[in-house]
Short mmCIF file of all heavy atoms in Angstrom, two decimals:
data_model
loop_
_atom_site.label_atom_id
_atom_site.label_comp_id
_atom_site.label_asym_id
_atom_site.label_seq_id
_atom_site.Cartn_x
_atom_site.Cartn_y
_atom_site.Cartn_z
N SER U 85 -61.31 36.83 11.10
CA SER U 85 -60.54 38.02 10.98
C SER U 85 -60.14 38.04 9.46
O SER U 85 -60.06 39.18 8.83
CB SER U 85 -59.43 38.08 11.82
OG SER U 85 -59.75 38.17 13.19
N ALA U 109 -93.47 56.77 8.17
CA ALA U 109 -94.42 55.70 8.27
C ALA U 109 -95.14 55.70 9.65
O ALA U 109 -96.41 55.53 9.81
CB ALA U 109 -93.92 54.35 7.88
N ASP U 190 -99.38 49.86 -10.76
CA ASP U 190 -100.71 50.07 -11.25
C ASP U 190 -101.84 49.84 -10.08
O ASP U 190 -102.75 50.49 -9.94
CB ASP U 190 -100.99 49.07 -12.33
CG ASP U 190 -100.07 49.42 -13.62
OD1 ASP U 190 -99.70 50.57 -13.76
OD2 ASP U 190 -99.94 48.50 -14.48
N ILE U 204 -95.83 51.56 2.03
CA ILE U 204 -95.18 50.39 1.62
C ILE U 204 -93.90 50.01 2.53
O ILE U 204 -93.03 50.94 2.75
CB ILE U 204 -94.57 50.60 0.13
CG1 ILE U 204 -95.69 50.72 -0.86
CG2 ILE U 204 -93.83 49.32 -0.21
CD1 ILE U 204 -95.32 51.09 -2.22
N THR U 222 -93.01 55.32 1.40
CA THR U 222 -92.42 54.04 0.98
C THR U 222 -91.11 53.92 1.83
O THR U 222 -90.20 54.58 1.90
CB THR U 222 -91.91 54.14 -0.53
OG1 THR U 222 -93.03 54.31 -1.33
CG2 THR U 222 -91.13 52.79 -0.97
N HIS U 226 -83.63 49.32 -0.24
CA HIS U 226 -82.82 49.18 -1.49
C HIS U 226 -83.22 50.37 -2.46
O HIS U 226 -82.43 50.75 -3.37
CB HIS U 226 -83.42 47.95 -2.31
CG HIS U 226 -83.06 46.61 -1.63
ND1 HIS U 226 -81.64 46.25 -1.39
CD2 HIS U 226 -83.75 45.52 -1.09
CE1 HIS U 226 -81.71 45.12 -0.79
NE2 HIS U 226 -82.86 44.65 -0.65
N ASP U 258 -90.51 42.30 22.46
CA ASP U 258 -89.82 40.95 22.71
C ASP U 258 -90.51 39.87 21.74
O ASP U 258 -89.71 39.15 21.11
CB ASP U 258 -89.97 40.56 24.19
CG ASP U 258 -88.99 41.26 25.06
OD1 ASP U 258 -88.10 41.96 24.56
OD2 ASP U 258 -89.14 41.11 26.26
N ALA U 267 -88.19 35.10 10.62
CA ALA U 267 -88.30 35.40 9.32
C ALA U 267 -86.94 35.78 8.66
O ALA U 267 -86.62 35.48 7.51
CB ALA U 267 -89.20 36.64 9.10
N ILE U 323 -84.33 26.82 13.21
CA ILE U 323 -85.44 27.63 12.62
C ILE U 323 -85.31 27.46 11.01
O ILE U 323 -86.46 27.20 10.44
CB ILE U 323 -85.14 29.10 12.91
CG1 ILE U 323 -85.60 29.35 14.42
CG2 ILE U 323 -85.96 30.05 12.03
CD1 ILE U 323 -85.20 30.78 14.84
N LYS U 368 -95.57 17.72 6.63
CA LYS U 368 -95.31 16.32 6.31
C LYS U 368 -95.91 16.05 4.83
O LYS U 368 -95.17 15.43 4.02
CB LYS U 368 -96.03 15.43 7.23
CG LYS U 368 -95.29 15.29 8.58
CD LYS U 368 -96.09 14.24 9.44
CE LYS U 368 -95.37 14.12 10.88
NZ LYS U 368 -96.19 13.25 11.77
N LEU U 473 -91.79 34.12 -11.55
CA LEU U 473 -92.21 34.63 -12.88
C LEU U 473 -93.39 34.01 -13.40
O LEU U 473 -93.76 32.93 -12.98
CB LEU U 473 -90.93 34.55 -13.96
CG LEU U 473 -90.54 33.24 -14.39
CD1 LEU U 473 -89.84 33.23 -15.67
CD2 LEU U 473 -89.61 32.53 -13.30
N ILE U 475 -95.05 33.34 -17.52
CA ILE U 475 -94.87 33.51 -18.96
C ILE U 475 -96.05 32.99 -19.65
O ILE U 475 -96.87 32.17 -19.13
CB ILE U 475 -93.69 32.75 -19.53
CG1 ILE U 475 -93.74 31.23 -19.25
CG2 ILE U 475 -92.39 33.36 -18.77
CD1 ILE U 475 -92.73 30.58 -20.06
N GLY U 528 -74.29 35.07 3.90
CA GLY U 528 -73.30 36.20 4.10
C GLY U 528 -72.41 36.06 5.23
O GLY U 528 -71.46 36.88 5.39
N THR U 577 -70.37 2.48 -0.81
CA THR U 577 -69.36 2.32 -1.83
C THR U 577 -67.92 2.45 -1.32
O THR U 577 -67.05 1.77 -2.00
CB THR U 577 -69.63 3.53 -2.80
OG1 THR U 577 -70.89 3.52 -3.37
CG2 THR U 577 -68.62 3.53 -4.08
N LEU U 582 -64.16 1.95 8.78
CA LEU U 582 -64.30 2.10 10.28
C LEU U 582 -63.56 3.52 10.61
O LEU U 582 -63.91 4.08 11.61
CB LEU U 582 -63.47 1.12 11.06
CG LEU U 582 -64.19 -0.34 11.11
CD1 LEU U 582 -63.27 -1.24 11.70
CD2 LEU U 582 -65.54 -0.15 11.92
#
Side-chain angles (χ1 to χ4, degrees):
S85 294
D190 295 337
I204 298 173
T222 298
H226 294 302
D258 285 350
I323 290 174
K368 289 179 180 177
L473 67 159
I475 66 171
T577 301
L582 286 174

